[in-house]
Amino acid sequence: MKTLAIIPAYNEEESIVATVEELKAVAAAVDYVVVNDGSRDATLARCREKGYNVLNLPVNVGLTAGFQAGMKYALEHGYDYAVQFDADGQHRPEYLEALVAEAERSGADIVIGSRFVTEKKPVSARMTGSALISGIVKATTGKKINDPTSGMRLYNRAMIERYAYESDFGPEPDTVAYLVRQGAKVSEVQVSMREREAGESYLSFSKSISYMARTCLSILFLQWFR
């Protein structure tokens, strides 16, 4: 099955080369596209120096629009699956085969690379927020998702089409919950992830709290009006 790794990248000059090179070495059967989201550093220059497949967005439009650009690319090029893959090196390409295999086995529309299928969540403020989102998703959809904030998600062709054309479909837990309520089938595969080794996460502690609050509010209320 044709699979595309979509790698949104904003100011990832320190990690983008290592991320793409590992992906190419470990998961050679998976194609990729780097979506350079108007980076102000040398991310685009690094990609061009290496001859990477890159979509260059001239201004920073944010993760939702950047990911949608990748999904439109996947749709136009006939991919069966598209996977969201972080540019910062946290996602590990050795699990991509397992995500595809699970989609084939179960017929899932979305397969989440989950850190908590067989492992317990550690005790932290961020994981408390993750558990809260899991509970709200379960309460509103009837579906238990162990790792709703995981950014490593595989989407099938039907989901690629939805994300390519729906302007408000972000790669976030509230959209996953919305799709579950519309009948999408979600499965999870146990993975492990690394800590960010270079660059700086856009989610500081205060932004993490704000993100969790917005996500919970969206799942509980806003998604019903889409």
Side-chain angles (χ1 to χ4, degrees):
M1 308 297 288
K2 288 184 64 178
T3 304
L4 177 72
I6 298 171
I7 310 175
Y10 177 65
N11 293 345
E12 295 287 0
E13 65 178 8
E14 297 181 60
S15 58
I16 190 63
V17 171
T19 295
V20 175
E21 291 301 320
E22 183 185 34
L23 176 65
K24 290 165 61 179
V26 175
V30 175
D31 295 337
Y32 72 90
V33 61
V34 178
V35 181
N36 178 51
D37 188 16
S39 295
R40 294 173 295 174
D41 65 0
T43 297
L44 179 60
R46 298 281 185 273
C47 290
R48 286 179 170 168
E49 286 169 4
K50 291 289 187 177
Y52 293 159
N53 185 30
V54 58
L55 288 178
N56 183 44
L57 307 183
V59 297
N60 177 234
V61 294
L63 179 59
T64 294
F67 184 69
Q68 184 179 44
M71 286 298 229
K72 287 182 176 178
Y73 180 96
L75 182 65
E76 291 171 359
H77 289 79
Y79 284 94
D80 302 294
Y81 297 110
V83 61
Q84 180 182 349
F85 198 82
D86 283 357
D88 58 16
Q90 293 188 74
H91 294 170
R92 297 171 58 172
E94 60 262 38
Y95 293 110
L96 294 179
E97 183 179 354
L99 296 182
V100 173
E102 174 62 17
E104 291 287 284
R105 183 198 66 80
S106 66
D109 298 293
I110 303 170
V111 180
I112 298 172
S114 172
R115 295 161 288 183
F116 310 120
V117 175
T118 59
E119 302 288 334
K120 289 186 177 181
K121 289 182 180 180
V123 178
S124 69
R126 182 170 293 185
M127 289 302 103
T128 299
S130 175
L132 178 60
I133 293 173
S134 290
I136 292 174
V137 171
K138 180 68 164 62
T140 57
T141 69
K143 171 67 177 177
K144 181 181 180 181
I145 297 179
N146 295 290
D147 195 1
T149 61
S150 168
M152 191 177 191
R153 303 186 187 98
L154 181 93
Y155 302 88
N156 69 4
R157 178 75 178 185
M159 295 295 101
I160 291 172
E161 293 179 358
R162 295 293 303 272
Y163 275 84
Y165 290 121
E166 300 283 350
S167 61
D168 60 345
F169 268 33
E172 302 290 357
D174 55 350
T175 299
V176 173
Y178 173 75
L179 288 166
V180 170
R181 287 203 304 272
Q182 289 204 324
K185 183 177 181 180
V186 176
S187 185
E188 293 182 88
V189 169
Q190 178 66 42
V191 303
S192 61
M193 297 184 188
R194 295 180 287 245
E195 294 296 322
R196 171 186 280 270
E197 297 181 356
E200 183 178 347
S201 173
Y202 77 96
L203 280 179
S204 63
F205 178 77
S206 61
K207 288 182 179 179
S208 294
I209 298 299
S210 176
Y211 168 80
M212 294 295 180
R214 290 197 312 271
T215 299
C216 291
L217 178 65
S218 180
I219 296 171
L220 280 171
F221 301 109
L222 302 181
Q223 295 301 303
W224 301 94
F225 299 98
R226 293 180 89 165

